[in-house]
Amino acid sequence: MIRIKWWPVGHHLFPADKPPTKDEQMTLQQSLELAEIEADMAYEKFLEAFDADEHPELLEQLNTTATLARHRYYDALNSDLAL
């Protein structure tokens, strides 16, 4: 069994004969993690507004923002996992 010490995030963005350096790898990993954090924060804002019984239009707007942020994260994650 081969053990990968780090997931090669974004490896498909580089030529096959030149794998990403450790620094490039970390930058891509950080970008992916940032997208996940942004999606989580957007959803938390929606939940706070929902709990505060805000106006339905605001709830719809926050829900759309949270959904789009989550889709951006999943798109980035899936593009990396689809080898």
Side-chain angles (χ1 to χ4, degrees):
M1 173 189 248
I2 298 174
R3 296 185 125 201
I4 297 176
K5 293 184 181 179
W6 50 274
W7 180 255
V9 173
H11 64 92
H12 60 286
L13 302 174
F14 294 88
D17 61 341
K18 184 184 177 274
T21 65
K22 201 68 155 166
D23 288 340
E24 291 168 332
Q25 167 62 30
M26 293 307 296
T27 300
L28 293 166
Q29 180 66 40
Q30 290 167 350
S31 296
L32 187 58
E33 289 172 1
L34 181 61
E36 182 180 21
I37 290 169
E38 288 175 349
D40 290 343
M41 290 174 55
Y43 187 65
E44 285 296 321
K45 284 183 183 178
F46 166 72
L47 290 179
E48 289 172 6
F50 184 81
D51 289 342
D53 201 28
E54 294 288 343
H55 192 275
E57 285 184 24
L58 177 62
L59 291 176
E60 183 179 343
Q61 178 186 11
L62 291 173
N63 189 28
T64 301
T65 302
T67 301
L68 291 174
R70 184 62 60 188
H71 283 293
R72 281 191 300 274
Y73 166 66
Y74 286 147
D75 287 346
L77 181 63
N78 288 334
S79 71
D80 200 59
L81 295 177
L83 304 176

